Amino acid sequence: MLRNTLFTGLVLTASLTAAHAQEVTLRLAHFAAESHPGHAASVQFAENVAARTGGEVKIELYPANQLGSPPEQLEQTILGAIDMNLPTHGGLDKYDRAFGTAMTPFAFSSYQHAHTVLDGEFTDWVSPKLEEQGLVMLSHWEYGFRNITNSVRPINTPEDVEGLKLRTPPELQIVAAMEGLGASTTQIAFPELPNALNQGVVQGQENPIGVIYHYNLNDFQEHLALTRHVYNAMIHVVNKDKWEQLSPNQQRILREESAKAGAMMRAAVQAQEAEEIAGLIERGMKVTEPDLAPFAAKMGPARARVAEYSGQENMDKFLNMLD
């Protein structure tokens, strides 16, 4: 009887072990180009997760908006059609307005300042809010400070922005910043941007250096101004239901490798910015480095718009974190 009980127990244990070892495939979609550090970080994440789980967890990668526009990808991740995504704060603030505060114009003085705030109090604050939307936040990655390009004139002062027709994404924070400098803005989907620039529908746009470089926007834009007006990060999120199907050890590995991938991307983005600016100059762009104080001084109305959108209580909480 004892022998039969032991045998039954061993069979049950073996069955549970086999079930636990069952392979899981997670689809990770994002908007970065395949040559961008965002995709390199995704590749590192996928490879390390597969290695550390012994192949139990596999990550399939879909870069460069292969599974839809950024808003579509995020919605699909919430619904569970996609398992993992790398949205920006501007994408997430459509689901909880607290995220919108992170893109307040001229909020961060440096990359280190942004990382310290976002990895600390900000993450503690917003992670529970995200879970209410059906997502689990793994870590902050990178995207970079945004800068203005145009085909009309060099930008050295805020007055040089006045009257320019600029494309922006739909994020209110970016629209408010550009309009605060006197530009007129048009919201155009990113895949349509090169054609809009080429046809003169807009005279300029704004994006992190890596985007300008990797998508060859210099083909349509002569002038680049390092205005660093809004900081952008990619946030690694996973569908909550899918997350809860993973074992505690698998979850631990994914969290650790997400943080490592984010750290790698941060280092790569910062290291490559100088090289990419030099490359853009070689391609014919004229680059200016304006004094940013006069630009920041014009952001009162823009910050008021962000506070109205995000909620004044949220904005006050975020501004306290900056100190």
Side-chain angles (χ1 to χ4, degrees):
M1 186 70 175
L2 178 59
R3 180 178 298 177
N4 289 339
T5 302
L6 289 172
F7 177 75
T8 302
L10 289 172
V11 171
L12 181 59
T13 301
S15 299
L16 289 173
T17 301
H20 175 71
Q22 185 175 1
E23 290 185 358
V24 176
T25 299
L26 303 176
R27 302 204 306 168
L28 168 57
H30 64 77
F31 56 82
E34 291 187 54
S35 59
H36 189 274
H39 186 59
S42 300
V43 170
Q44 174 185 298
F45 172 74
E47 291 177 346
N48 288 358
V49 166
R52 291 186 62 190
T53 63
E56 285 182 23
V57 182
K58 296 181 179 180
I59 311 294
E60 291 182 353
L61 302 179
Y62 297 87
N65 295 320
Q66 290 180 18
L67 299 186
S69 67
E72 291 169 340
Q73 291 177 49
L74 180 54
E75 182 179 13
Q76 290 182 69
T77 306
I78 291 172
L79 295 174
I82 297 173
D83 304 305
M84 309 178 92
N85 195 216
L86 292 166
T88 65
H89 293 102
L92 292 171
D93 74 16
K94 308 304 182 292
Y95 298 92
D96 193 290
R97 296 294 177 87
F99 282 93
T101 59
M103 291 176 63
T104 298
F106 294 98
F108 300 113
S109 59
S110 66
Y111 278 107
Q112 184 57 51
H113 184 206
H115 299 163
T116 299
V117 172
L118 296 178
D119 290 347
E121 285 185 79
F122 188 84
T123 291
D124 294 340
W125 177 38
V126 298
S127 289
K129 297 176 180 292
L130 206 54
E131 293 203 21
E132 293 176 2
Q133 304 300 324
L135 296 171
V136 173
M137 180 175 174
L138 299 183
S139 68
H140 274 93
W141 288 19
E142 189 65 278
Y143 209 51
F145 284 95
R146 303 179 74 93
N147 305 275
I148 302 173
T149 70
N150 81 96
S151 59
V152 179
R153 54 180 174 266
I155 295 173
N156 289 292
T157 69
E159 288 69 30
D160 295 325
V161 182
E162 291 182 6
L164 290 177
K165 298 192 309 184
L166 301 180
R167 175 269 177 186
T168 71
E171 283 81 358
L172 174 133
Q173 301 90 330
I174 299 170
V175 173
M178 294 300 93
E179 291 181 352
L181 295 174
S184 62
T185 65
T186 301
Q187 286 67 62
I188 298 172
F190 185 81
E192 301 170 12
L193 176 58
N195 191 46
L197 292 171
N198 188 43
Q199 294 185 353
V201 175
V202 289
Q203 298 167 315
Q205 61 86 54
E206 53 75 63
N207 257 303
I209 294 297
V211 176
I212 298 166
Y213 180 84
H214 288 282
Y215 282 95
N216 299 307
L217 298 186
N218 53 279
D219 289 346
F220 317 100
Q221 303 279 269
E222 181 180 2
H223 303 286
L224 164 64
L226 303 180
T227 50
R228 300 167 65 86
H229 47 275
V230 167
Y231 172 78
N232 257 171
M234 299 170 90
I235 301 94
H236 193 185
V237 298
V238 57
N239 174 270
K240 186 178 180 181
D241 290 338
K242 182 66 71 170
W243 176 255
E244 291 175 347
Q245 294 174 22
L246 301 174
S247 71
N249 186 55
Q250 291 170 340
Q251 291 178 351
R252 178 181 60 83
I253 290 171
L254 262 64
R255 282 196 183 277
E256 291 175 355
E257 292 306 326
S258 176
K260 289 178 184 177
M264 183 276 277
M265 185 181 178
R266 284 174 168 178
V269 166
Q270 293 178 66
Q272 291 178 19
E273 273 196 355
E275 297 175 7
E276 289 165 350
I277 291 171
L280 290 169
I281 292 173
E282 289 179 4
R283 295 176 186 177
M285 289 198 94
K286 299 174 182 177
V287 180
T288 58
E289 296 186 55
D291 177 8
L292 299 185
F295 289 77
K298 285 185 168 288
M299 289 298 107
R303 286 194 170 198
R305 289 176 68 180
V306 176
E308 182 180 4
Y309 173 77
S310 300
Q312 189 62 54
E313 184 178 348
N314 286 333
M315 178 62 84
D316 290 343
K317 189 175 182 69
F318 173 72
L319 294 178
N320 286 334
M321 295 178 190
L322 297 181
D323 297 331

